[in-house]
Amino acid sequence: MTRKDKTPMISPDEARALVLEQSFLMDTETVPLYEAVHRFLAQDIVSDVDIPPFDNSAMDGYAVVSSAIRNASKEKPISLPVSGESKAGDEATVVSLQSAVRIMTGAVLPRGADAVVPVEDASESGGMVSFYSPIKPEENIRHAGEDICRGMKVLRKGDRITPAVMGMLASLNFTHVPVYQKAKVAIIATGDELVEPGTTLSHGHIRNSNAYSLFGEVLKYGGKPHYLGIAKDSREDTERLLQEATRCDIIITTGGVSMGEYDFVPEVLRKLGVRIVFETVKMKPGKPCIFGILHTQNAKKLFFGLPGNPVSSLLSFIQFVRPALLSLMGARKIRLPEVHAKLKEKITKKKGRTHFVRGFFSIENGTLFVATTGPQGSGILRSMHEANCLIILPAEREVYEAGDEVTIQLFNHEEVE
Ligand code: AMP
Ligand code: MG
């Protein structure tokens, strides 16, 4: 095939839009709540209960009628008999103007009470409790339904089930949750030079790192990775593994998509009937990047022929496969956050392609700055580890001075030192 038979070069944004246009929704399933973390909800959740279910105390202390201690002061404390105790889990008691009820955090507020005096602001002895200041009505009370009230749409289809959502679902009495199925993602490395970690390396060979980076990415975004191994640089082996991969929803290869003599991926994809949507993207790194679709008897498959260089393959995953994977699994939020930052150093580039420069942002006196991680070769995988963002430099501009404002994409949210 000649160069001009290729699909036209498109921008990364156009490529991402084309991918999302082709993505589809996985079937749904119901899983036990404790297995649901990081999955995506397959339906809106409307509460049929109030949370908390009853008025209760936010403190350990004494439930009172606030007007009963309206005139309390240090000099003239007001003492009331302790008429009872309400601990978490007990049924409701009653309090009158002439009494106080000892109460624990989370216990039902006694009928009649409108405030709770914290234990440290009172002193109890011989069945009496003294108060040294007044208290406003409503102090230290948690009202029924103040978190979630009956009829409220609390969660939306496509929401990620975070630990907080797990807790909310438990409060709402879910033991099982409707979620989208995990997308199965096949990963195939290509290249005669590749050997797996744990085996000896002879001259001219390198270790297969891409399969592992991509395996990690698939897991990170909640997919189910299936690593199928290394395809030798031959049509036959590439076809054998790609054929095997068609049982998955998304199929990823790395390497073998450039213009080299032994780059068989595009040819084999076409032979298998994959319709190529694009195969070059105006970006650096990651220019050769194939996206295609295959309709089998009862399903659609998305194929990504990612470039071989370790940074390029990871970066292309993040830009194109990640959105597809999230979209298949029902995620409502797909875009990575982008913000503006001031460049700390001058960068020059050629016109024509969007650059994704590995960067490190920091906040200094409230201003966001960004520096590059250093050398930007597409084989320098360390740069992806050291970066906490990608500096996106638009295709047409060549020079970026220190102090210029640039867009950064946050792709590595982690704790800071
Ligand atoms: P290719 O596109 O197949 O020519 O690969 C481009 C570059 O990426 C070459 O230097 C390959 O050795 C390297 N490469 C390809 N696949 C992998 C892999 N799985 N792990 C690490 N490097 C790779
Ligand atoms: Mg190769």
Side-chain angles (χ1 to χ4, degrees), residues 180-212:
Y180 290 97
Q181 288 177 6
K182 289 185 175 206
K184 292 203 262 322
V185 185
I187 299 168
I188 300 171
T190 70
D192 286 347
E193 75 281 29
L194 301 179
V195 293
E196 298 290 9
T199 50
T200 44
L201 199 62
S202 39
H203 192 61
H205 287 184
I206 60 164
R207 299 220 189 273
N208 166 21
S209 62
N210 292 352
Y212 297 84

Side-chain angles (χ1 to χ4, degrees), residues 60-238:
D60 293 328
Y62 296 88
V64 295
V65 182
S66 59
S67 59
I69 60 166
R70 187 174 41 210
N71 297 319
S73 67
K74 261 202 191 98
E75 300 70 36
K76 278 195 169 167
I78 290 180
S79 295
L80 297 172
V82 179
S83 64
E85 186 175 87
S86 177
K87 56 184 183 4
D90 286 353
E91 302 247 351
T93 53
V94 185
V95 74
S96 69
L97 266 173
Q98 285 81 38
S99 67
V101 167
R102 195 185 303 119
I103 192 165
M104 314 306 152
T105 306
V108 179
L109 193 71
R111 276 190 293 281
D114 68 352
V116 171
V117 179
V119 69
E120 51 274 32
D121 296 345
S123 61
E124 185 184 336
S125 79
M128 299 292 286
V129 56
S130 303
F131 301 102
Y132 304 89
S133 57
I135 188 160
K136 289 198 217 94
E138 302 298 316
E139 286 279 290
N140 303 319
I141 289 177
R142 301 191 285 218
H143 281 291
E146 74 171 29
D147 179 5
I148 291 171
C149 64
R150 198 182 307 233
M152 195 180 194
K153 191 200 272 188
V154 273
L155 295 165
R156 284 169 64 187
K157 187 166 150 172
D159 275 347
R160 187 193 291 270
I161 302 177
T162 61
V165 171
M166 299 268 284
M168 287 168 70
L169 288 166
S171 306
L172 293 167
N173 196 30
F174 280 81
T175 58
H176 289 74
V177 210
V179 294
Y180 290 97
Q181 288 177 6
K182 289 185 175 206
K184 292 203 262 322
V185 185
I187 299 168
I188 300 171
T190 70
D192 286 347
E193 75 281 29
L194 301 179
V195 293
E196 298 290 9
T199 50
T200 44
L201 199 62
S202 39
H203 192 61
H205 287 184
I206 60 164
R207 299 220 189 273
N208 166 21
S209 62
N210 292 352
Y212 297 84
S213 303
L214 295 171
F215 198 95
E217 287 288 345
V218 172
L219 281 178
K220 175 173 169 183
Y221 290 101
K224 215 175 183 177
H226 293 258
Y227 174 45
L228 301 188
I230 301 168
K232 289 278 167 209
D233 281 324
S234 71
R235 285 183 185 82
E236 297 67 36
D237 214 34
T238 308

Side-chain angles (χ1 to χ4, degrees), residues 338-354:
E338 289 180 7
V339 292
H340 292 154
K342 273 188 192 315
L343 256 186
K344 277 195 158 183
E345 60 198 270
K346 180 175 180 172
I347 308 179
T348 55
K349 68 181 251 313
K350 284 196 192 136
K351 268 193 184 179
R353 287 198 265 165
T354 303

